[in-house]
């Protein structure tokens, strides 16, 4: 079934997953596709309080600008990232090198920001429910409806089974989950690492500085969430995970040996939770009239903090192409092609960072130090890296 440009005929779109990526997509499509009929599905109930979800998100400046455009950015509840400090812990025969990227150098208000999941999802959901209430003929929110199956029909439409069967011109899956619970996709890389997450208290104020520290066991990061507080991501090999057996006092002692002097002394660490880390990705976003974006298309290691940012860029480009091209199939083809550099660029860099600093090869720590030192000295290279992290590979 051929479907014309949304400006000339109605098009029905189902979005499965009402998380930050799915709801951002819904709001973008509502604004840019004036004749689209949009339905969102999510297994959670509509009265579930999403605002209180404390999970920490690191958003790039590009993602913040997108949420500002959607009028859902909670600036007062976010902690700006003004500087990023990148270094490695491994012993080296040469002096340790540090890469430091600043918003001031990039002539930007911030490099990104740290905010709770609830403070991103809550405003998005509220905005979408307002749209549904104000335009009930075009927009629908099906909370408490778990999608059991998606099936492409002979006429090209896609059937969604969520308690009742309904057909759509286009179905977009934006429901991901964590690596260990997902069905494996064509591109899989198990890092055999556990990611431990929690919060720490620091003796000295962070002043908007984030730390990325590469150790022999895996990367670790501190993300500012307050003047003296930071979110912690601490990666360990799953087959020799020493963190699991340590007491809180021992964990704090180890953490105080890991981060560079600029971070100061850590005075407390919260209870930590762990999850398995890996890459699980589709080769392309598009399969017929079914599109996967965000974690449904690529689940990443958290080392570069790009998972949600990549998903929001998936949503932006998809809607942009649907608004620009004359039929859905052409738009989807262009969207899949347009997303190739960003998706594979981010996945490649993430793969290198997740594994490259754990390789135990003679003189490799020295070579990594030389590379970090070169990046710090060559400002165009450093700014290029910063732009990629802020706005993606485009």
């Amino acid at each position: 079934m051929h479907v014309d440009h949304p400006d000339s005929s109605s098009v029905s779109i189902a979005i499965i997953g009402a998380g930050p990526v799915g709801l951002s997509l819904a709001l973008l499509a509502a604004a840019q596709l004036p004749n689209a009929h949009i339905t969102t599905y999510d297994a959670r109930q509509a009265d579930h309080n999403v605002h209180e979800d404390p999970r920490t998100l690191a958003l790039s400046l590009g993602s913040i600008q997108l949420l500002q455009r959607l009028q859902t950015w909670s600036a007062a509840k976010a902690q700006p990232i003004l500087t990023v400090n990148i270094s490695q812990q491994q012993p080296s025969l040469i002096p340790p090198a540090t890469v430091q990227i600043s918003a001031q150098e990039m002539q930007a208000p911030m490099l990104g920001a740290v905010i709770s999941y609830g403070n991103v999802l809550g405003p998005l959901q509220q905005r979408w429910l307002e749209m549904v209430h104000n335009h009930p003929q075009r927009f629908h929110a099906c909370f408490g409806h778990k999608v059991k199956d998606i099936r492409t029909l002979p006429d090209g439409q896609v059937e969604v089974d969520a308690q009742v069967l309904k057909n759509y011109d286009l179905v977009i899956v934006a429901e991901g989950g964590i690596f260990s619970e997902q069905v494996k996709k064509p591109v899989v890389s198990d890092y055999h690492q556990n990611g431990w997450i929690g919060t720490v208290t620091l003796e000295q104020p962070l002043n908007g500085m984030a730390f990325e520290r590469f150790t022999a066991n895996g990367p670790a990061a501190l993300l500012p969430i307050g003047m003296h507080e930071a979110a912690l991501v601490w990666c360990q090999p799953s087959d020799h995970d020493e963190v699991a057996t340590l007491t809180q006092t021992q964990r704090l002692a180890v953490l105080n040996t890991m981060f560079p002097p600029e971070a100061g002394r850590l005075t407390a660490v919260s209870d930590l939770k762990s999850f398995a880390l890996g890459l699980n990705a589709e080769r392309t976003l598009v399969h017929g009239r079914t599109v996967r974006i965000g974690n449904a298309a690529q689940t990443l290691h958290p080392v570069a903090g790009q998972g949600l940012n990549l998903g929001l860029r998936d949503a932006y480009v998809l809607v942009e192409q649907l608004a620009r091209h004359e039929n859905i199939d052409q738009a989807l083809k262009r969207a899949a092609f347009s997303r190739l550099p960003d998706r594979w660029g981010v996945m490649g860099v993430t793969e290198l960072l997740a594994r490259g600093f754990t390789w135990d090869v003679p003189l490799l720590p020295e070579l990594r130090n030389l590379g970090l030192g070169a990046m710090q000295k060559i400002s165009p290279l450093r700014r290029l890296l910063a732009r990629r992290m802020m706005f993606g590979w485009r």
Side-chain angles (χ1 to χ4, degrees), residues 70-231:
L70 296 176
Q71 300 178 7
T72 63
W73 176 242
S74 303
K77 298 178 180 179
Q79 177 64 47
I81 298 175
L82 304 177
T83 310
V84 176
N85 180 296
I86 306 168
S87 61
Q88 73 165 343
Q89 185 193 27
Q90 291 99 319
S92 172
L93 298 176
I94 61 177
T98 298
V99 176
Q100 193 151 295
I101 301 170
S102 71
Q104 182 178 11
E105 178 186 12
M106 297 302 298
Q107 298 182 332
M110 65 187 82
L111 299 173
V114 185
I115 190 170
S116 74
Y117 187 93
N119 283 325
V120 172
L121 181 56
L124 284 167
Q125 180 167 306
Q126 181 178 345
R127 178 74 171 152
W128 174 241
L129 290 177
E130 289 172 358
M131 296 289 289
V132 171
H133 176 76
N134 294 333
H135 305 277
Q137 299 303 314
R138 286 187 59 204
F139 308 134
H140 308 276
C142 296
F143 286 99
H145 288 68
K146 182 176 177 59
V147 174
K148 299 177 182 178
D149 192 26
I150 303 169
R151 187 168 68 94
T152 300
L153 302 176
D155 65 359
Q157 287 199 318
V158 184
E159 180 184 81
V160 173
D161 181 357
Q163 299 179 6
V164 296
L165 299 178
K166 190 167 182 180
N167 299 346
Y168 294 91
D169 298 316
L170 174 62
V171 171
I172 302 161
V173 183
E175 188 175 54
I178 61 175
F179 173 74
S180 60
E181 298 176 355
Q182 292 179 338
V183 175
K184 295 303 177 274
K185 298 179 174 68
V187 181
V188 179
S189 182
D190 189 340
Y191 298 119
H192 301 288
Q193 291 180 4
N194 293 329
W196 291 88
I197 59 172
T199 60
V200 297
T201 305
L202 297 102
E203 190 172 63
Q204 68 184 38
L206 286 175
N207 296 319
M209 180 174 285
F211 293 87
E212 187 80 55
R213 184 74 158 171
F214 294 97
T215 79
N217 286 331
L222 294 177
L223 303 171
I225 55 176
M227 188 62 71
H228 291 271
E229 287 186 290

Side-chain angles (χ1 to χ4, degrees), residues 345-378:
V346 170
M347 286 192 287
V349 169
T350 301
E351 178 85 4
L352 178 63
L353 293 177
R355 294 187 184 277
F357 282 83
T358 63
W359 292 332
D360 185 14
V361 178
L363 297 180
L364 191 55
E366 286 72 24
L367 292 174
R368 289 192 292 252
N369 256 342
L370 290 172
L372 291 172
M375 182 168 290
Q376 180 62 24
K377 291 179 179 178
I378 304 173

Side-chain angles (χ1 to χ4, degrees), residues 214-244:
F214 294 97
T215 79
N217 286 331
L222 294 177
L223 303 171
I225 55 176
M227 188 62 71
H228 291 271
E229 287 186 290
L232 169 70
V233 181
W234 186 4
C235 301
Q236 289 285 303
S238 54
D239 59 351
H240 187 62
D241 189 344
E242 298 175 349
V243 178

Side-chain angles (χ1 to χ4, degrees), residues 12-86:
S12 58
I13 301 174
I15 300 171
I16 301 171
V21 172
L23 291 181
S24 295
L25 173 72
L27 292 171
L28 284 168
Q32 296 187 48
L33 308 178
N35 291 330
H37 291 255
I38 303 166
T39 302
T40 57
Y41 290 91
D42 201 282
R44 73 173 183 273
Q45 298 296 325
D47 59 358
H48 178 72
N49 186 2
V50 298
H51 293 79
E52 300 301 320
D53 193 320
R55 288 176 290 173
T56 301
L57 298 175
L59 296 183
S60 67
L61 181 57
S63 294
I64 293 167
Q65 291 172 344
L66 174 59
L67 295 177
Q68 289 172 333
R69 174 177 172 178
L70 296 176
Q71 300 178 7
T72 63
W73 176 242
S74 303
K77 298 178 180 179
Q79 177 64 47
I81 298 175
L82 304 177
T83 310
V84 176
N85 180 296
I86 306 168

Side-chain angles (χ1 to χ4, degrees), residues 224-391:
I225 55 176
M227 188 62 71
H228 291 271
E229 287 186 290
L232 169 70
V233 181
W234 186 4
C235 301
Q236 289 285 303
S238 54
D239 59 351
H240 187 62
D241 189 344
E242 298 175 349
V243 178
T245 62
L246 297 178
T247 66
Q248 291 296 85
T249 301
Q250 291 169 331
R251 290 174 176 177
L252 182 62
V254 173
L255 286 169
N256 269 308
T257 69
M258 285 174 45
F259 288 98
E262 294 90 338
R265 189 171 72 91
L266 281 64
T267 60
V269 58
S270 71
D271 290 336
L272 303 179
K273 297 181 180 180
S274 71
F275 55 94
L277 302 177
L279 168 69
N280 192 29
E282 301 283 354
R283 296 189 186 278
T284 179
L285 300 180
V286 177
H287 298 274
R289 292 282 181 82
T290 300
V291 183
R292 286 175 169 79
I293 64 174
N295 271 11
Q298 60 269 322
T299 300
L300 307 179
H301 192 290
V303 59
Q306 287 297 304
L308 177 56
N309 298 307
L310 196 60
L312 291 174
R313 297 197 293 268
D314 289 341
Y316 178 83
V317 171
L318 177 58
V319 173
E320 181 185 52
Q321 295 299 330
L322 286 169
R324 179 180 297 176
H325 291 283
E326 293 196 0
N327 63 67
I328 287 180
D329 297 311
Q330 182 183 8
L332 297 184
K333 182 178 180 180
R334 290 301 307 170
F337 181 78
S338 297
R339 294 301 296 139
L340 285 174
D342 193 22
R343 292 185 68 238
W344 288 96
V346 170
M347 286 192 287
V349 169
T350 301
E351 178 85 4
L352 178 63
L353 293 177
R355 294 187 184 277
F357 282 83
T358 63
W359 292 332
D360 185 14
V361 178
L363 297 180
L364 191 55
E366 286 72 24
L367 292 174
R368 289 192 292 252
N369 256 342
L370 290 172
L372 291 172
M375 182 168 290
Q376 180 62 24
K377 291 179 179 178
I378 304 173
S379 56
L381 183 61
R382 188 173 64 253
R383 289 195 292 268
L384 177 63
L385 173 65
R387 284 194 296 271
R388 293 290 181 264
M389 295 300 102
M390 293 161 70
F391 302 111

